[in-house]
Amino acid sequence: MMTVHEVSKLTGVSIRTLQYYDTIGLLKPSDYTASGYRLYDDTSLERLQQILLFKELEFPLKEIKEIIDDPHFDRNKALEQQIELLTMKKEHLENLIQFAQGIKMLGVKNMDFSAFDTRKIDEYSKRAKEQWGKTAAYKEFEEKSYNWTEHDQEIMMNDIMNIFAEFGQMKTKDPTDEVVQLQVKKLQDYITKNFYNCTKEILCCLGKMYSGGGEFTENIDQVGGSGTAEFTNKAIQVFCS
């Protein structure tokens, strides 16, 4: 058994943070001393390792708790991903060191910025999140879509794209306009009814995703006209604020 002070010294996690993890049920002590001080065994330390792993992948603490508490949690798979991610970050740091040494020796004439490129790391983290991100919303979506046929999927897609097409017809209006805000509510209600409980927090994230480039933005702009995805996001951010 290790005291909270010993665990903090061993792991670099502050005592205040360990106390907070206990409060939210993320990492409960294995036992307590007669004086009420927290004690941690090897099982607790293994759980702390997994918590730090998912923090490295930038998961919120609430989602980390859901993942680790899931009876289907695959510890070995998680460790493999952590090793892969740390290897990528190590290579990235080595490239930055070489880049800085080159500047020191040659000056700033070399305008190569490839050493700052973190896209490979970001993409890996994104894929890992997609694999582990079985949030309550995701689970609800799995349940609702379990018996969907291809025809059902087509109907859902057409309906939601029609909503975006209607946003496109409103682009001349201000995002704060009442009509536009009612359209945001229509989108939120449709997602809640057919996919998962679309809270304002989730809706806010969706809006940023819609206008963030890539396939989502292209598809929305295709049905609503250029700039529809960005307009939709602005209207959503007003609604969520």
Side-chain angles (χ1 to χ4, degrees):
M1 289 282 193
M2 298 180 68
T3 66
V4 67
H5 291 83
E6 290 171 335
V7 172
S8 177
K9 186 176 180 180
L10 174 68
T11 64
V13 179
S14 70
I15 294 174
R16 184 183 295 271
T17 298
L18 291 170
Q19 291 170 340
Y20 178 66
Y21 287 174
D22 181 10
T23 301
I24 64 175
L26 180 59
L27 181 68
K28 303 295 288 184
S30 308
D31 203 349
Y32 294 87
T33 66
S35 303
Y37 291 103
R38 296 170 175 83
L39 293 173
Y40 298 85
D41 61 11
D42 289 344
T43 302
S44 299
L45 293 178
E46 287 181 7
R47 183 177 175 92
L48 180 57
Q49 287 179 335
Q50 298 303 325
I51 293 168
L52 298 178
L53 180 162
F54 285 108
K55 280 194 67 181
E56 195 70 30
L57 294 175
E58 300 179 355
F59 273 82
L61 294 179
K62 182 179 178 181
E63 290 186 24
I64 293 174
K65 185 178 184 301
E66 291 176 357
I67 293 168
I68 298 178
D69 288 342
D70 191 318
H72 302 295
F73 174 59
D74 189 337
R75 177 178 176 276
N76 289 332
K77 180 180 178 182
L79 286 173
E80 288 174 2
Q81 290 181 334
Q82 176 70 342
I83 291 169
E84 180 69 20
L85 181 63
L86 289 175
T87 301
M88 289 181 180
K89 290 189 174 184
K90 174 175 174 288
E91 292 175 354
H92 178 64
L93 289 174
E94 288 174 345
N95 289 336
L96 285 175
I97 291 170
Q98 291 177 5
F99 182 77
Q101 290 173 338
I103 291 178
K104 182 179 179 181
M105 294 176 61
L106 305 174
V108 294
K109 293 181 180 180
N110 181 12
M111 303 303 288
D112 178 12
F113 289 86
S114 59
F116 297 96
D117 190 349
T118 62
R119 283 177 294 181
K120 185 178 179 181
I121 296 174
D122 295 341
E123 178 61 26
Y124 183 84
S125 295
K126 178 184 175 183
R127 291 202 309 271
K129 284 186 176 183
E130 288 172 351
Q131 292 177 16
W132 291 108
K134 296 297 181 75
T135 60
Y138 183 87
K139 291 176 181 176
E140 184 180 354
F141 170 71
E142 282 189 325
E143 292 173 1
K144 287 187 175 182
S145 62
Y146 182 75
N147 292 317
W148 282 6
T149 64
E150 288 188 13
H151 180 62
D152 292 330
Q153 293 178 30
E154 289 178 4
I155 292 175
M156 297 293 180
M157 182 59 66
N158 288 335
D159 286 348
I160 201 162
M161 295 314 287
N162 285 336
I163 293 175
F164 289 127
E166 292 169 355
F167 271 113
Q169 297 170 4
M170 302 176 182
K171 284 185 295 184
T172 56
K173 299 180 181 294
D174 191 280
T176 61
D177 189 284
E178 182 180 359
V179 174
V180 179
Q181 289 300 295
L182 286 173
Q183 184 69 8
V184 176
K185 185 66 169 61
K186 179 179 179 180
L187 173 63
Q188 183 187 38
D189 290 345
Y190 185 84
I191 294 172
T192 294
K193 179 181 178 182
N194 296 285
F195 299 97
Y196 45 76
N197 181 29
C198 186
T199 63
K200 282 191 174 183
E201 181 181 6
I202 291 176
L203 185 63
C204 177
C205 294
L206 288 175
K208 294 176 181 178
M209 182 176 67
Y210 294 154
S211 63
E215 188 174 352
F216 273 109
T217 303
E218 293 172 4
N219 290 339
I220 293 172
D221 284 355
Q222 185 175 358
V223 298
S226 179
T228 299
E230 180 61 32
F231 175 77
T232 301
N233 178 43
K234 288 180 179 178
I236 288 174
Q237 301 311 316
V238 171
F239 182 85
C240 293
S241 65

